[in-house]
Amino acid sequence: MSDDLWDSCSGPDITPVCDAASAVPERHAHSHGVRPGANVRWLWLGLGLLTAYLVAEVVVALLSRSLALLSDAGHLLTDVGSLAVALWAIRLAARPARGAMTYGWKRAEILSAAGNAATLLVVGLIVLIEAVRRLVHPPHVDAAPVLITALVGIGVNIVVAWAVARADRSSLNVEGAYQHILTDLFGFLATAAAAVVILATGWQRADAVASLVLVVLMFRSGLTLARQSSRILLEAAPPGVRISDIREHLLRVDHVRDVHDLHVWTVTSDDHALSAHVVVDEGCFADSHAPQLLDALQACLHEHFDIGHSSLQLEPPTHAAHETAIH
């Protein structure tokens, strides 16, 4: 930004951190969030493969009386549900902002991720109760069909995990579905190992132990997703972003006296927003240079914090007397 601009505003000369009009990005030239079409085909592929395999796994689990296989079928059902919900959330997120939905339906993917977390935790709790019961009273497990089904499941889940991994996993929605599938893959590995142990030693409790391994994986993935989605739903600052750092950067811009009512939140995955009241020198309004100052502030937010959607209220020092609450 030119020296003439800053000299025409009253107040001390401070070298701004983000200085030069050329550094100001084109408004909203970069995209935030997830491109809906980038994920759909991969999620549909995974959904089709898992649905076909789910039917076969339930039949074998019932015939062989394997809890590990049946519990994995239960988790596989949540995988199918998570992919279906993920596709539905992508469709909703593509809707434009309209009426009362001022952000559109972008938060649908966060609700989907929270739902994935809840199903992981609920299914994990159910399997945990049954696994403990079977540790005490282990039933007979026909291990041969269990092993064959688990090995086929490993192959299917590798293909599905590969397909979903090719989608945009920066979306918490897609990441939630991916965590479901990855957990199921490890569950099949544990089930196959349990079947081998039963065939080799006859130790029937191996099936329940494999189920407990799957429970640990479910709880781990579920709690991680719940923490990430709840941060967004509660409008906490994005991970790694410190409010004090943002305030410090903005205060370094010439003629900025104070920053208050500063809020930073995540609308949806990788789509961050900010609002703040910025107190600037009175002369910036008198000389009509407030718009250029606004450009400098937004350039600072974009370059240092990747915040492309900011609502800044520029106000003179005398405005503080008219505000009902400042924080």
Side-chain angles (χ1 to χ4, degrees), residues 71-246:
S71 64
D72 192 81
H75 181 244
L76 190 62
L77 179 61
T78 67
D79 289 350
V80 171
S82 70
L83 287 173
V85 171
L87 286 164
W88 172 72
I90 289 173
R91 184 179 181 89
L92 283 180
R95 293 183 178 181
R98 181 179 299 139
M101 307 301 292
T102 57
Y103 279 115
W105 292 81
K106 292 181 179 181
R107 279 280 173 91
E109 69 151 350
I110 308 303
L111 294 175
S112 171
N116 282 334
T119 56
L120 279 169
L121 296 175
V122 170
V123 172
L125 181 60
I126 294 172
V127 174
L128 174 62
I129 295 172
E130 182 63 17
V132 171
R133 189 185 70 82
R134 289 200 173 198
L135 277 175
V136 179
H137 304 290
H140 174 74
V141 175
D142 190 357
V146 172
L147 178 59
I148 295 172
T149 306
L151 291 176
V152 174
I154 290 171
V156 170
N157 272 266
I158 287 175
V159 174
V160 174
W162 170 82
V164 177
R166 290 179 65 86
D168 189 347
R169 286 175 53 203
S170 66
S171 162
L172 198 59
N173 177 37
V174 175
E175 179 63 19
Y178 180 76
Q179 288 299 325
H180 264 276
I181 294 162
L182 200 61
T183 301
D184 203 54
L185 174 59
F186 288 126
F188 273 123
L189 291 170
T191 301
V196 170
V197 170
I198 294 173
L199 287 172
T201 67
W203 190 50
Q204 298 293 323
R205 287 183 172 86
D207 185 71
V209 172
S211 299
L212 291 175
V213 172
L214 183 58
V215 167
V216 172
L217 295 173
M218 286 182 180
F219 283 165
R220 179 179 178 274
S221 297
L223 290 173
T224 299
L225 275 176
R227 183 173 61 253
Q228 292 174 332
S229 58
S230 63
R231 282 185 60 89
I232 295 177
L233 293 174
L234 293 173
E235 297 194 343
V241 174
R242 297 175 55 186
I243 298 296
S244 58
D245 290 342
I246 296 177

Side-chain angles (χ1 to χ4, degrees), residues 11-47:
D13 289 330
I14 304 173
T15 303
V17 174
C18 303
D19 184 19
S22 60
V24 178
E26 182 180 349
R27 299 295 176 83
H28 308 297
H30 62 296
S31 62
H32 281 291
V34 179
R35 293 179 296 110
N39 300 318
V40 170
R41 58 173 178 166
W42 298 113
L43 296 183
W44 273 115
L45 174 61
L47 181 60

Side-chain angles (χ1 to χ4, degrees), residues 270-295:
D270 291 334
D271 189 359
H272 308 314
L274 176 147
S275 67
H277 291 207
V278 182
V279 181
V280 301
D281 289 338
E282 193 90 39
C284 294
F285 296 99
D287 294 339
S288 301
H289 290 141
Q292 289 89 335
L293 180 57
L294 178 62
D295 285 341

